[in-house]
Each structure stands twice: as structure tokens, then as C-alpha cells.
């Protein structure tokens, strides 16, 4: 149990931990929705079984799939847009990466600080006379903005699907 302040009143409350979702892919391995266990990334047979179960579950049940792996990872796992579209033709998929799914920088990883620096945001922060570059805010500005962008484009794609009956694959980069 973790204490959290409720509504800024100083009143403390406790919340029960939330069980992991049944379709979670993690860095350490893959959550198998059939067995309810985390399969180590080193267990190749277990990962293959879990990914197969995830593919079926995601494509049959999900309206949208969002992922933020490096380009090519979802294809290697068999969870790419073409595969999922074969199971559910109207699925919406959002692929978020640092520099997009194509182009010369596609294989580079990215985090908030690298995108802030590369985009020039750090040189825009602060006040005249202060040392530059400076980090933008106390929390990752790019992490927050990409979250809003993700939500906006997913809602727009689902709205389009409702109007046209067609799914789509969205390639959204942080930079």
C-alpha cells in the first residue's frame, strides 16, 4: 500500500496495488495472458508462446494498439501492423519512437533529454543572462508533450475509423 495525498487537502489515503494488465509487454520479458506469468526474455519458447497469445488477444479485443519500441522490434515479435491487421482489418496502431520508423536515424534510441537538446528546447528555456543550455522544467517536457500527442492522434484515428470503417498505422516520432 502506498499513501497518496487526496485533492491537495493533506488528507492521506491508501490504494491497493493494481494487478498487471493481461496484455503487457515489458522490457524484462513478456507477460503471458494465458498463464498470467512474466516470461523471461531469455526463455525463447516461452516468449514465442506469450507473443502468440498477445497477438490474438490484442487484435481481437483491442480497438487500438500503442507501442514505443525501436523500429523493427514489433515486426520481429510478430506484433506489427500488417500482422495485426490480418486478424482485425480495422485496427488502429500507433508506433512511437525517437526518430520515426524510417530514415537515417530510425535505429537511434531517444529519451526526453536527448530530444529536448536536439530540438533546441534547452536553449529556449530560462532567462536572459542565465547559463545555457538549461533543462526544460523539472519533469520531462518532451515526455509529457508526446503523451498528449499520442492521445490526440489515437482519438483522431478512432474517430476516422468510426466514420470510414478503416484502421490505420500512425508513425509518430518524438523529434
Amino acid at each position: 500500500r502506498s499513501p497518496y495525498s487526496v485533492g491537495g487537502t493533506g488528507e492521506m489515503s491508501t490504494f491497493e496495488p493494481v494487478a498487471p494488465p493481461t496484455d503487457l509487454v515489458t522490457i524484462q520479458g513478456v507477460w503471458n495472458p494465458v498463464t498470467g506469468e512474466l516470461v523471461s526474455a531469455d526463455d525463447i519458447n516461452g516468449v514465442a508462446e506469450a507473443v502468440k497469445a498477445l497477438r490474438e488477444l490484442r487484435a481481437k479485443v483491442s480497438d487500438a494498439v500503442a507501442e514505443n519500441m525501436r523500429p523493427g522490434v514489433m515486426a520481429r515479435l510478430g506484433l506489427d501492423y500488417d500482422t495485426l491487421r490480418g486478424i482485425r482489418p480495422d485496427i488502429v496502431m500507433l508506433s512511437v519512437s525517437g526518430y520515426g520508423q524510417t530514415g537515417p536515424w530510425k535505429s537511434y534510441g531517444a529519451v526526453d533529454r536527448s530530444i529536448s537538446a536536439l530540438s533546441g528546447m534547452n536553449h529556449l528555456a530560462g532567462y536572459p543572462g542565465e547559463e545555457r543550455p538549461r533543462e526544460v522544467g523539472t519533469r520531462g517536457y518532451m515526455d509529457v508533450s508526446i503523451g498528449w500527442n499520442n492521445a490526440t492522434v489515437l482519438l483522431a484515428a478512432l474517430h476516422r475509423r468510426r466514420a470510414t470503417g478503416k484502421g490505420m498505422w500512425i508513425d509518430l516520432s518524438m523529434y
Side-chain angles (χ1 to χ4, degrees):
R1 292 178 180 231
S2 301
Y4 292 94
S5 175
V6 179
T9 63
E11 175 186 344
M12 299 304 277
S13 182
T14 57
F15 298 93
E16 292 295 323
V18 177
T22 57
D23 63 344
L24 179 66
V25 177
T26 69
I27 293 171
Q28 296 84 16
V30 179
W31 191 267
N32 188 329
V34 175
T35 64
E37 298 174 348
L38 182 65
V39 179
S40 167
D42 298 328
D43 179 3
I44 300 302
N45 293 331
V47 168
E49 180 183 312
V51 166
K52 181 181 176 189
L54 281 171
R55 185 181 313 122
E56 296 295 320
L57 180 68
R58 282 189 173 179
K60 288 180 181 174
V61 175
S62 301
D63 288 316
V65 173
E67 60 94 2
N68 70 335
M69 306 287 191
R70 286 190 187 185
V73 171
M74 294 299 276
R76 285 195 303 276
L77 292 172
L79 294 169
D80 56 306
Y81 178 68
D82 289 333
T83 302
L84 297 178
R85 187 176 61 176
I87 300 167
R88 182 172 176 170
D90 67 344
I91 195 142
V92 171
M93 183 168 183
L94 170 62
S95 295
V96 182
S97 61
Y99 306 100
Q101 301 292 310
T102 60
W105 289 8
K106 71 178 183 181
S107 62
Y108 296 164
V111 294
D112 175 271
R113 287 182 172 181
S114 64
I115 298 295
S116 290
L118 189 62
S119 70
M121 286 292 293
N122 292 356
H123 283 281
L124 298 174
Y127 298 96
E130 283 187 336
E131 186 178 326
R132 305 266 175 114
R134 178 180 173 168
E135 189 172 354
V136 180
T138 56
R139 297 184 188 255
Y141 175 81
M142 294 298 179
D143 287 341
V144 172
S145 66
I146 197 68
W148 282 107
N149 292 340
N150 292 346
T152 303
V153 299
L154 275 176
L155 289 173
L158 290 169
H159 179 72
R160 176 186 176 268
R161 185 183 73 183
R162 186 182 324 162
T164 66
K166 296 179 181 179
M168 67 187 310
W169 179 35
I170 304 160
D171 175 10
L172 183 62
S173 69
M174 289 178 72
Y175 178 73

